[in-house]
Amino acid sequence: MRLLKKIFNRKTPAVNMKKFLIVGLGNIGEKYKKTRHNVGFQIIDRLAERNKCNWELKKLASYSSINIKGRKLILIKPKTFMNRSGKAVRYWALKENIPLENILIVTDELHLPFGTLRLKPKGSSGGHNGLKDIESQLNTLHYARIRFGIGHEKKALDQVKFVLATWDDTEQVILVERIDFFTEAIISFGLEGIENAMNRFNGK
């Protein structure tokens, strides 16, 4: 962990404050592609598409990047399953010398109403296995995350079955608009910082 702590120390000259690591969480494989649990993949897929960026298969992840107003946003989709996402996050943060405060994890949130945006600079995993693994690999809770509410209102329904199901017809109607809204919040995070992005986008 010594190298990790060195790179993630904001006073270390090696880090690049104009680089950001944007990580979409999801499960690989066609059967998971349009499930609620894969909305992190869907959001950064859309972010890459809007900026005409292509994906490359690299170590531990699919990789793309956006250059905008002097900032570089590195986008990754871990090639591991959701509960092993942390290994890819750690690898790419170290490889690209990205400071901890410039990492943003894009994920689903079972306990928020559908489409709700919640951006935070730190916090617990809330039972999310992908976030648990990232916490373990980074050895900290202090990394930003942007959560997409998937709205588990049917309490009697099995949670695993719910998150691994595809979007229903009602959700599909407004899903594209909400995903585009999330891409704008991610760009704001890179250009304006997390506090400004939170003020502009949280709860909307």
Side-chain angles (χ1 to χ4, degrees):
M1 283 294 181
R2 289 181 181 177
L3 178 61
L4 185 65
K5 289 178 180 178
K6 180 181 177 183
I7 294 297
F8 288 157
N9 184 339
R10 70 176 66 195
K11 296 179 181 179
T12 303
V15 299
N16 189 331
M17 298 303 296
K18 293 187 177 182
K19 274 187 183 180
F20 297 81
L21 183 64
I22 313 299
V23 184
L25 297 190
N27 285 309
I28 56 172
E30 193 64 29
K31 70 177 182 178
Y32 297 109
K33 190 173 182 181
K34 295 182 180 180
T35 62
R36 295 183 178 96
H37 213 27
N38 269 39
V39 72
F41 278 8
Q42 290 181 277
I43 291 167
I44 65 167
D45 275 337
R46 179 58 177 153
L47 183 57
E49 179 186 18
R50 290 183 70 175
N51 289 275
K52 298 179 172 60
C53 299
N54 297 318
W55 291 99
E56 302 175 69
L57 288 178
K58 293 196 175 185
K59 185 170 181 178
L60 298 174
S62 295
Y63 175 104
S64 189
S65 65
I66 300 168
N67 292 295
I68 181 170
K69 296 184 179 179
R71 308 294 177 93
K72 183 174 185 177
L73 275 60
I74 295 169
L75 315 179
I76 67 166
K77 296 184 292 182
K79 290 191 293 185
T80 58
F81 280 98
M82 176 79 78
N83 60 0
R84 292 292 182 266
S85 300
K87 190 173 181 180
V89 177
R90 184 179 188 275
Y91 173 82
W92 284 102
L94 291 173
K95 180 175 175 58
E96 297 289 344
N97 294 334
I98 296 174
L100 187 61
E101 58 264 45
N102 285 12
I103 297 173
L104 178 64
I105 309 300
V106 187
T107 186
D108 62 302
E109 174 51 64
L110 185 64
H111 303 295
L112 286 175
F114 171 72
T116 300
L117 185 154
R118 182 71 53 79
L119 176 62
K120 295 177 66 177
K122 61 181 180 178
S124 70
S125 67
H128 192 290
N129 288 331
L131 297 180
K132 282 182 183 178
D133 194 57
I134 293 168
E135 290 169 12
S136 175
Q137 288 287 331
L138 299 185
N139 198 29
T140 183
L141 303 178
H142 290 256
Y143 61 87
R145 68 286 311 272
I146 184 169
R147 302 178 191 244
F148 186 105
I150 61 173
H152 182 18
E153 283 94 15
K154 298 177 182 178
K155 301 300 182 183
L157 190 64
D158 178 80
Q159 291 188 3
V160 174
K161 184 177 179 181
F162 180 81
V163 301
L164 294 180
T166 56
W167 303 104
D168 64 32
D169 292 341
T170 302
E171 292 165 338
Q172 288 282 5
V173 171
I174 58 175
L175 184 62
V176 172
E177 178 187 347
R178 294 308 297 170
I179 285 177
D180 279 344
F181 185 68
F182 272 69
T183 65
E184 293 168 11
I186 292 168
I187 294 293
S188 175
F189 169 81
L191 296 182
E192 303 175 300
I194 191 164
E195 293 297 333
N196 287 327
M198 288 170 62
N199 289 336
R200 286 184 58 193
F201 291 93
N202 264 351
K204 296 179 181 177

Short mmCIF file of all heavy atoms in Angstrom, two decimals, residues 75-133:
data_model
loop_
_atom_site.label_atom_id
_atom_site.label_comp_id
_atom_site.label_asym_id
_atom_site.label_seq_id
_atom_site.Cartn_x
_atom_site.Cartn_y
_atom_site.Cartn_z
N LEU A 75 -12.09 7.28 -18.90
CA LEU A 75 -13.29 6.48 -18.63
C LEU A 75 -12.91 5.00 -18.64
O LEU A 75 -12.24 4.54 -19.57
CB LEU A 75 -14.36 6.72 -19.68
CG LEU A 75 -14.66 8.16 -20.10
CD1 LEU A 75 -15.74 8.17 -21.18
CD2 LEU A 75 -15.06 9.00 -18.92
N ILE A 76 -13.32 4.27 -17.61
CA ILE A 76 -13.10 2.82 -17.64
C ILE A 76 -14.36 2.08 -17.22
O ILE A 76 -15.15 2.55 -16.42
CB ILE A 76 -11.91 2.37 -16.76
CG1 ILE A 76 -12.19 2.59 -15.27
CG2 ILE A 76 -10.61 3.02 -17.21
CD1 ILE A 76 -11.21 1.86 -14.36
N LYS A 77 -14.50 0.89 -17.82
CA LYS A 77 -15.51 -0.08 -17.41
C LYS A 77 -14.75 -1.36 -17.03
O LYS A 77 -14.19 -2.02 -17.91
CB LYS A 77 -16.49 -0.37 -18.56
CG LYS A 77 -17.31 0.82 -18.98
CD LYS A 77 -18.34 0.45 -20.06
CE LYS A 77 -17.67 0.09 -21.37
NZ LYS A 77 -18.65 -0.22 -22.45
N PRO A 78 -14.66 -1.66 -15.73
CA PRO A 78 -13.90 -2.85 -15.32
C PRO A 78 -14.39 -4.11 -16.03
O PRO A 78 -15.58 -4.33 -16.21
CB PRO A 78 -14.16 -2.92 -13.81
CG PRO A 78 -14.40 -1.50 -13.42
CD PRO A 78 -15.17 -0.91 -14.58
N LYS A 79 -13.44 -4.95 -16.44
CA LYS A 79 -13.76 -6.21 -17.11
C LYS A 79 -14.01 -7.34 -16.11
O LYS A 79 -14.37 -8.45 -16.50
CB LYS A 79 -12.64 -6.60 -18.07
CG LYS A 79 -12.55 -5.70 -19.29
CD LYS A 79 -11.61 -6.26 -20.35
CE LYS A 79 -10.18 -6.26 -19.90
NZ LYS A 79 -9.24 -6.69 -20.98
N THR A 80 -13.77 -7.07 -14.85
CA THR A 80 -14.12 -8.03 -13.81
C THR A 80 -15.62 -7.94 -13.55
O THR A 80 -16.29 -7.04 -14.06
CB THR A 80 -13.39 -7.69 -12.51
OG1 THR A 80 -13.74 -6.35 -12.13
CG2 THR A 80 -11.89 -7.77 -12.69
N PHE A 81 -16.16 -8.82 -12.75
CA PHE A 81 -17.54 -8.65 -12.35
C PHE A 81 -17.62 -7.55 -11.29
O PHE A 81 -16.62 -7.11 -10.73
CB PHE A 81 -18.12 -9.97 -11.84
CG PHE A 81 -18.54 -10.88 -12.96
CD1 PHE A 81 -17.71 -11.91 -13.39
CD2 PHE A 81 -19.76 -10.69 -13.59
CE1 PHE A 81 -18.10 -12.74 -14.43
CE2 PHE A 81 -20.16 -11.51 -14.64
CZ PHE A 81 -19.32 -12.54 -15.05
N MET A 82 -18.83 -7.11 -11.03
CA MET A 82 -19.09 -5.96 -10.16
C MET A 82 -18.33 -6.04 -8.84
O MET A 82 -17.71 -5.07 -8.40
CB MET A 82 -20.60 -5.87 -9.89
CG MET A 82 -21.02 -4.79 -8.93
SD MET A 82 -21.07 -3.16 -9.69
CE MET A 82 -22.63 -3.27 -10.57
N ASN A 83 -18.36 -7.19 -8.19
CA ASN A 83 -17.78 -7.29 -6.84
C ASN A 83 -16.25 -7.39 -6.84
O ASN A 83 -15.65 -7.58 -5.78
CB ASN A 83 -18.39 -8.46 -6.07
CG ASN A 83 -18.16 -9.80 -6.73
OD1 ASN A 83 -17.55 -9.89 -7.79
ND2 ASN A 83 -18.67 -10.86 -6.10
N ARG A 84 -15.62 -7.22 -8.02
CA ARG A 84 -14.16 -7.17 -8.10
C ARG A 84 -13.71 -5.90 -8.84
O ARG A 84 -12.61 -5.85 -9.39
CB ARG A 84 -13.62 -8.41 -8.81
CG ARG A 84 -13.80 -9.71 -8.01
CD ARG A 84 -12.93 -9.72 -6.76
NE ARG A 84 -13.07 -10.97 -6.01
CZ ARG A 84 -13.91 -11.13 -5.01
NH1 ARG A 84 -14.71 -10.14 -4.65
NH2 ARG A 84 -13.96 -12.27 -4.36
N SER A 85 -14.51 -4.87 -8.79
CA SER A 85 -14.23 -3.65 -9.53
C SER A 85 -13.01 -2.90 -9.02
O SER A 85 -12.36 -2.16 -9.76
CB SER A 85 -15.44 -2.71 -9.47
OG SER A 85 -16.59 -3.31 -10.01
N GLY A 86 -12.70 -3.05 -7.75
CA GLY A 86 -11.64 -2.25 -7.13
C GLY A 86 -10.27 -2.45 -7.73
O GLY A 86 -9.46 -1.52 -7.78
N LYS A 87 -9.99 -3.64 -8.22
CA LYS A 87 -8.68 -3.92 -8.79
C LYS A 87 -8.40 -3.03 -9.99
O LYS A 87 -7.30 -2.49 -10.15
CB LYS A 87 -8.58 -5.40 -9.18
CG LYS A 87 -7.19 -5.85 -9.56
CD LYS A 87 -7.16 -7.36 -9.78
CE LYS A 87 -5.75 -7.82 -10.14
NZ LYS A 87 -5.70 -9.29 -10.37
N ALA A 88 -9.40 -2.86 -10.86
CA ALA A 88 -9.24 -2.00 -12.04
C ALA A 88 -9.12 -0.54 -11.64
O ALA A 88 -8.33 0.22 -12.22
CB ALA A 88 -10.43 -2.19 -12.99
N VAL A 89 -9.89 -0.12 -10.64
CA VAL A 89 -9.82 1.27 -10.18
C VAL A 89 -8.42 1.58 -9.66
O VAL A 89 -7.81 2.60 -10.02
CB VAL A 89 -10.87 1.53 -9.08
CG1 VAL A 89 -10.73 2.96 -8.54
CG2 VAL A 89 -12.28 1.30 -9.60
N ARG A 90 -7.92 0.71 -8.83
CA ARG A 90 -6.59 0.91 -8.25
C ARG A 90 -5.51 0.93 -9.33
O ARG A 90 -4.64 1.81 -9.34
CB ARG A 90 -6.29 -0.18 -7.23
CG ARG A 90 -4.96 -0.01 -6.50
CD ARG A 90 -4.76 -1.14 -5.49
NE ARG A 90 -3.60 -0.90 -4.65
CZ ARG A 90 -2.35 -1.21 -4.98
NH1 ARG A 90 -2.11 -1.79 -6.15
NH2 ARG A 90 -1.36 -0.94 -4.15
N TYR A 91 -5.58 -0.03 -10.26
CA TYR A 91 -4.57 -0.12 -11.31
C TYR A 91 -4.51 1.16 -12.15
O TYR A 91 -3.44 1.72 -12.38
CB TYR A 91 -4.86 -1.33 -12.22
CG TYR A 91 -3.94 -1.37 -13.43
CD1 TYR A 91 -2.66 -1.90 -13.32
CD2 TYR A 91 -4.35 -0.85 -14.65
CE1 TYR A 91 -1.81 -1.92 -14.41
CE2 TYR A 91 -3.51 -0.87 -15.75
CZ TYR A 91 -2.24 -1.40 -15.62
OH TYR A 91 -1.39 -1.41 -16.71
N TRP A 92 -5.66 1.64 -12.61
CA TRP A 92 -5.67 2.79 -13.50
C TRP A 92 -5.39 4.10 -12.77
O TRP A 92 -4.79 5.02 -13.33
CB TRP A 92 -6.98 2.85 -14.29
CG TRP A 92 -6.97 1.84 -15.38
CD1 TRP A 92 -7.59 0.62 -15.40
CD2 TRP A 92 -6.23 1.92 -16.60
NE1 TRP A 92 -7.29 -0.06 -16.55
CE2 TRP A 92 -6.47 0.72 -17.31
CE3 TRP A 92 -5.41 2.89 -17.17
CZ2 TRP A 92 -5.90 0.47 -18.56
CZ3 TRP A 92 -4.84 2.65 -18.41
CH2 TRP A 92 -5.08 1.45 -19.09
N ALA A 93 -5.78 4.20 -11.52
CA ALA A 93 -5.43 5.40 -10.74
C ALA A 93 -3.92 5.50 -10.58
O ALA A 93 -3.33 6.59 -10.72
CB ALA A 93 -6.12 5.36 -9.38
N LEU A 94 -3.27 4.39 -10.28
CA LEU A 94 -1.82 4.38 -10.12
C LEU A 94 -1.11 4.58 -11.46
O LEU A 94 -0.15 5.34 -11.56
CB LEU A 94 -1.37 3.08 -9.47
CG LEU A 94 -1.76 2.89 -8.00
CD1 LEU A 94 -1.40 1.49 -7.53
CD2 LEU A 94 -1.09 3.93 -7.12
N LYS A 95 -1.57 3.89 -12.48
CA LYS A 95 -0.93 3.98 -13.80
C LYS A 95 -0.96 5.41 -14.35
O LYS A 95 0.01 5.90 -14.94
CB LYS A 95 -1.61 3.03 -14.79
CG LYS A 95 -1.00 3.07 -16.20
CD LYS A 95 -1.63 2.04 -17.10
CE LYS A 95 -1.11 2.17 -18.53
NZ LYS A 95 0.37 2.04 -18.61
N GLU A 96 -2.09 6.09 -14.15
CA GLU A 96 -2.26 7.44 -14.71
C GLU A 96 -1.91 8.54 -13.70
O GLU A 96 -2.06 9.72 -14.00
CB GLU A 96 -3.71 7.63 -15.18
CG GLU A 96 -4.12 6.70 -16.32
CD GLU A 96 -3.46 7.06 -17.64
OE1 GLU A 96 -2.94 8.18 -17.77
OE2 GLU A 96 -3.47 6.21 -18.56
N ASN A 97 -1.45 8.16 -12.51
CA ASN A 97 -1.07 9.13 -11.47
C ASN A 97 -2.20 10.10 -11.15
O ASN A 97 -2.03 11.33 -11.11
CB ASN A 97 0.18 9.91 -11.90
CG ASN A 97 1.40 9.02 -12.00
OD1 ASN A 97 1.48 8.00 -11.33
ND2 ASN A 97 2.35 9.39 -12.84
N ILE A 98 -3.37 9.54 -10.92
CA ILE A 98 -4.56 10.35 -10.66
C ILE A 98 -4.78 10.47 -9.15
O ILE A 98 -4.83 9.45 -8.45
CB ILE A 98 -5.80 9.72 -11.33
CG1 ILE A 98 -5.61 9.73 -12.85
CG2 ILE A 98 -7.07 10.46 -10.95
CD1 ILE A 98 -6.69 9.01 -13.61
N PRO A 99 -4.91 11.69 -8.64
CA PRO A 99 -5.12 11.85 -7.20
C PRO A 99 -6.48 11.31 -6.77
O PRO A 99 -7.43 11.28 -7.56
CB PRO A 99 -5.05 13.37 -6.99
CG PRO A 99 -5.36 13.96 -8.32
CD PRO A 99 -4.86 12.98 -9.35
N LEU A 100 -6.57 10.90 -5.54
CA LEU A 100 -7.78 10.27 -5.02
C LEU A 100 -9.01 11.13 -5.22
O LEU A 100 -10.09 10.64 -5.56
CB LEU A 100 -7.59 9.95 -3.53
CG LEU A 100 -8.67 9.15 -2.84
CD1 LEU A 100 -8.81 7.77 -3.48
CD2 LEU A 100 -8.37 9.01 -1.36
N GLU A 101 -8.86 12.46 -5.01
CA GLU A 101 -10.03 13.34 -5.13
C GLU A 101 -10.52 13.51 -6.57
O GLU A 101 -11.58 14.08 -6.80
CB GLU A 101 -9.74 14.72 -4.52
CG GLU A 101 -8.57 15.45 -5.13
CD GLU A 101 -7.29 15.25 -4.35
OE1 GLU A 101 -6.98 14.10 -3.96
OE2 GLU A 101 -6.58 16.25 -4.13
N ASN A 102 -9.76 12.99 -7.54
CA ASN A 102 -10.16 13.07 -8.95
C ASN A 102 -10.74 11.76 -9.46
O ASN A 102 -10.88 11.57 -10.66
CB ASN A 102 -8.98 13.49 -9.81
CG ASN A 102 -8.65 14.97 -9.68
OD1 ASN A 102 -9.15 15.64 -8.79
ND2 ASN A 102 -7.79 15.48 -10.54
N ILE A 103 -11.04 10.85 -8.55
CA ILE A 103 -11.70 9.59 -8.92
C ILE A 103 -13.20 9.73 -8.68
O ILE A 103 -13.63 10.21 -7.63
CB ILE A 103 -11.14 8.42 -8.10
CG1 ILE A 103 -9.65 8.21 -8.39
CG2 ILE A 103 -11.92 7.13 -8.40
CD1 ILE A 103 -9.00 7.17 -7.49
N LEU A 104 -13.99 9.31 -9.67
CA LEU A 104 -15.45 9.34 -9.53
C LEU A 104 -16.01 7.98 -9.97
O LEU A 104 -15.75 7.52 -11.08
CB LEU A 104 -16.06 10.44 -10.40
CG LEU A 104 -17.59 10.55 -10.38
CD1 LEU A 104 -18.11 10.91 -8.99
CD2 LEU A 104 -18.08 11.56 -11.42
N ILE A 105 -16.77 7.36 -9.07
CA ILE A 105 -17.39 6.07 -9.35
C ILE A 105 -18.86 6.29 -9.72
O ILE A 105 -19.59 6.99 -9.00
CB ILE A 105 -17.31 5.13 -8.13
CG1 ILE A 105 -15.87 5.06 -7.60
CG2 ILE A 105 -17.85 3.75 -8.50
CD1 ILE A 105 -14.84 4.55 -8.57
N VAL A 106 -19.30 5.71 -10.83
CA VAL A 106 -20.67 5.86 -11.32
C VAL A 106 -21.40 4.53 -11.09
O VAL A 106 -21.00 3.50 -11.63
CB VAL A 106 -20.68 6.21 -12.82
CG1 VAL A 106 -22.10 6.54 -13.28
CG2 VAL A 106 -19.73 7.37 -13.12
N THR A 107 -22.45 4.58 -10.28
CA THR A 107 -23.07 3.31 -9.87
C THR A 107 -24.58 3.45 -9.66
O THR A 107 -25.12 4.56 -9.63
CB THR A 107 -22.40 2.81 -8.57
OG1 THR A 107 -22.90 1.52 -8.24
CG2 THR A 107 -22.63 3.76 -7.42
N ASP A 108 -25.23 2.32 -9.52
CA ASP A 108 -26.66 2.28 -9.21
C ASP A 108 -26.87 2.41 -7.71
O ASP A 108 -25.96 2.12 -6.93
CB ASP A 108 -27.28 0.98 -9.72
CG ASP A 108 -26.66 -0.25 -9.04
OD1 ASP A 108 -25.43 -0.42 -9.15
OD2 ASP A 108 -27.38 -1.04 -8.41
N GLU A 109 -28.07 2.82 -7.31
CA GLU A 109 -28.40 2.91 -5.89
C GLU A 109 -29.82 2.40 -5.68
O GLU A 109 -30.80 3.02 -6.12
CB GLU A 109 -28.28 4.35 -5.41
CG GLU A 109 -28.75 4.57 -3.97
CD GLU A 109 -28.10 3.60 -2.99
OE1 GLU A 109 -26.87 3.65 -2.82
OE2 GLU A 109 -28.85 2.79 -2.40
N LEU A 110 -29.91 1.30 -4.99
CA LEU A 110 -31.19 0.63 -4.75
C LEU A 110 -32.14 1.46 -3.90
O LEU A 110 -33.35 1.37 -4.05
CB LEU A 110 -30.91 -0.72 -4.07
CG LEU A 110 -32.06 -1.67 -3.82
CD1 LEU A 110 -32.66 -2.14 -5.14
CD2 LEU A 110 -31.59 -2.86 -3.00
N HIS A 111 -31.60 2.28 -3.00
CA HIS A 111 -32.44 2.96 -2.01
C HIS A 111 -32.76 4.41 -2.37
O HIS A 111 -33.16 5.18 -1.50
CB HIS A 111 -31.76 2.88 -0.64
CG HIS A 111 -31.49 1.47 -0.21
ND1 HIS A 111 -32.49 0.58 0.06
CD2 HIS A 111 -30.32 0.79 -0.04
CE1 HIS A 111 -31.97 -0.58 0.40
NE2 HIS A 111 -30.66 -0.48 0.35
N LEU A 112 -32.62 4.76 -3.65
CA LEU A 112 -33.05 6.07 -4.13
C LEU A 112 -34.15 5.88 -5.17
O LEU A 112 -34.13 4.91 -5.92
CB LEU A 112 -31.88 6.82 -4.78
CG LEU A 112 -30.80 7.40 -3.87
CD1 LEU A 112 -29.68 8.00 -4.71
CD2 LEU A 112 -31.37 8.45 -2.93
N PRO A 113 -35.12 6.81 -5.22
CA PRO A 113 -36.16 6.71 -6.26
C PRO A 113 -35.56 6.70 -7.66
O PRO A 113 -34.48 7.28 -7.88
CB PRO A 113 -36.99 7.98 -6.02
CG PRO A 113 -36.74 8.34 -4.60
CD PRO A 113 -35.33 7.95 -4.31
N PHE A 114 -36.25 6.08 -8.57
CA PHE A 114 -35.74 5.94 -9.93
C PHE A 114 -35.31 7.28 -10.53
O PHE A 114 -36.04 8.26 -10.50
CB PHE A 114 -36.80 5.31 -10.84
CG PHE A 114 -36.42 5.34 -12.29
CD1 PHE A 114 -35.42 4.51 -12.76
CD2 PHE A 114 -37.03 6.23 -13.16
CE1 PHE A 114 -35.04 4.54 -14.10
CE2 PHE A 114 -36.67 6.27 -14.50
CZ PHE A 114 -35.66 5.42 -14.97
N GLY A 115 -34.08 7.29 -11.08
CA GLY A 115 -33.56 8.46 -11.78
C GLY A 115 -32.95 9.53 -10.91
O GLY A 115 -32.35 10.48 -11.42
N THR A 116 -33.06 9.40 -9.58
CA THR A 116 -32.50 10.41 -8.67
C THR A 116 -30.98 10.42 -8.75
O THR A 116 -30.34 9.37 -8.81
CB THR A 116 -32.93 10.14 -7.22
OG1 THR A 116 -34.35 10.17 -7.14
CG2 THR A 116 -32.35 11.17 -6.27
N LEU A 117 -30.40 11.61 -8.74
CA LEU A 117 -28.94 11.76 -8.77
C LEU A 117 -28.45 12.12 -7.38
O LEU A 117 -28.96 13.03 -6.74
CB LEU A 117 -28.55 12.85 -9.77
CG LEU A 117 -27.07 13.09 -10.05
CD1 LEU A 117 -26.89 13.68 -11.46
CD2 LEU A 117 -26.40 14.02 -9.03
N ARG A 118 -27.43 11.41 -6.91
CA ARG A 118 -26.82 11.69 -5.63
C ARG A 118 -25.30 11.66 -5.79
O ARG A 118 -24.71 10.61 -6.04
CB ARG A 118 -27.26 10.67 -4.58
CG ARG A 118 -26.71 10.90 -3.17
CD ARG A 118 -27.32 12.10 -2.47
NE ARG A 118 -28.76 12.09 -2.45
CZ ARG A 118 -29.50 11.36 -1.60
NH1 ARG A 118 -28.92 10.58 -0.71
NH2 ARG A 118 -30.81 11.44 -1.63
N LEU A 119 -24.67 12.82 -5.68
CA LEU A 119 -23.22 12.96 -5.81
C LEU A 119 -22.64 13.27 -4.45
O LEU A 119 -23.09 14.20 -3.77
CB LEU A 119 -22.89 14.07 -6.81
CG LEU A 119 -21.42 14.45 -7.03
CD1 LEU A 119 -20.63 13.28 -7.59
CD2 LEU A 119 -21.32 15.65 -7.97
N LYS A 120 -21.63 12.50 -4.02
CA LYS A 120 -21.01 12.70 -2.71
C LYS A 120 -19.49 12.53 -2.82
O LYS A 120 -19.02 11.74 -3.64
CB LYS A 120 -21.55 11.69 -1.70
CG LYS A 120 -23.03 11.83 -1.39
CD LYS A 120 -23.50 10.76 -0.43
CE LYS A 120 -22.88 10.90 0.94
NZ LYS A 120 -23.41 9.89 1.90
N PRO A 121 -18.73 13.26 -1.98
CA PRO A 121 -17.27 13.15 -2.03
C PRO A 121 -16.71 11.94 -1.30
O PRO A 121 -15.54 11.59 -1.47
CB PRO A 121 -16.81 14.44 -1.35
CG PRO A 121 -17.90 14.77 -0.39
CD PRO A 121 -19.18 14.32 -1.05
N LYS A 122 -17.54 11.29 -0.49
CA LYS A 122 -17.09 10.12 0.27
C LYS A 122 -18.32 9.45 0.85
O LYS A 122 -19.45 9.94 0.70
CB LYS A 122 -16.16 10.54 1.41
CG LYS A 122 -16.81 11.48 2.42
CD LYS A 122 -15.83 11.88 3.51
CE LYS A 122 -16.51 12.82 4.50
NZ LYS A 122 -15.60 13.20 5.60
N GLY A 123 -18.12 8.32 1.54
CA GLY A 123 -19.25 7.65 2.19
C GLY A 123 -19.04 6.15 2.25
O GLY A 123 -18.08 5.61 1.70
N SER A 124 -19.97 5.47 2.89
CA SER A 124 -19.89 4.02 3.02
C SER A 124 -20.39 3.36 1.73
O SER A 124 -20.96 4.01 0.86
CB SER A 124 -20.74 3.55 4.20
OG SER A 124 -22.12 3.71 3.90
N SER A 125 -20.20 2.06 1.67
CA SER A 125 -20.64 1.31 0.49
C SER A 125 -22.15 1.16 0.43
O SER A 125 -22.72 0.92 -0.64
CB SER A 125 -20.00 -0.08 0.48
OG SER A 125 -20.51 -0.85 1.56
N GLY A 126 -22.82 1.27 1.60
CA GLY A 126 -24.25 1.08 1.64
C GLY A 126 -24.68 -0.32 1.22
O GLY A 126 -25.80 -0.52 0.75
N GLY A 127 -23.77 -1.29 1.39
CA GLY A 127 -24.09 -2.67 1.02
C GLY A 127 -23.81 -3.00 -0.44
O GLY A 127 -24.03 -4.14 -0.86
N HIS A 128 -23.33 -2.03 -1.20
CA HIS A 128 -23.05 -2.26 -2.63
C HIS A 128 -21.72 -2.98 -2.77
O HIS A 128 -20.68 -2.48 -2.35
CB HIS A 128 -23.02 -0.90 -3.34
CG HIS A 128 -23.02 -1.00 -4.83
ND1 HIS A 128 -21.93 -1.47 -5.54
CD2 HIS A 128 -23.97 -0.67 -5.74
CE1 HIS A 128 -22.22 -1.43 -6.84
NE2 HIS A 128 -23.45 -0.95 -6.98
N ASN A 129 -21.73 -4.17 -3.38
CA ASN A 129 -20.52 -4.99 -3.44
C ASN A 129 -19.40 -4.37 -4.26
O ASN A 129 -18.22 -4.55 -3.95
CB ASN A 129 -20.86 -6.39 -3.96
CG ASN A 129 -21.63 -7.22 -2.97
OD1 ASN A 129 -21.48 -7.04 -1.76
ND2 ASN A 129 -22.47 -8.11 -3.46
N GLY A 130 -19.76 -3.65 -5.31
CA GLY A 130 -18.74 -2.99 -6.11
C GLY A 130 -18.01 -1.92 -5.31
O GLY A 130 -16.78 -1.81 -5.34
N LEU A 131 -18.76 -1.12 -4.56
CA LEU A 131 -18.16 -0.08 -3.73
C LEU A 131 -17.35 -0.69 -2.59
O LEU A 131 -16.30 -0.16 -2.21
CB LEU A 131 -19.23 0.86 -3.18
CG LEU A 131 -20.02 1.66 -4.22
CD1 LEU A 131 -21.05 2.55 -3.53
CD2 LEU A 131 -19.11 2.50 -5.10
N LYS A 132 -17.82 -1.80 -2.04
CA LYS A 132 -17.06 -2.48 -0.99
C LYS A 132 -15.67 -2.86 -1.47
O LYS A 132 -14.67 -2.69 -0.77
CB LYS A 132 -17.80 -3.75 -0.54
CG LYS A 132 -18.98 -3.53 0.38
CD LYS A 132 -19.57 -4.88 0.77
CE LYS A 132 -20.80 -4.73 1.63
NZ LYS A 132 -21.39 -6.06 1.96
N ASP A 133 -15.59 -3.40 -2.69
CA ASP A 133 -14.31 -3.83 -3.21
C ASP A 133 -13.40 -2.63 -3.51
O ASP A 133 -12.19 -2.70 -3.30
CB ASP A 133 -14.50 -4.67 -4.47
CG ASP A 133 -13.24 -5.41 -4.86
OD1 ASP A 133 -12.73 -6.19 -4.02
OD2 ASP A 133 -12.73 -5.20 -5.97
#
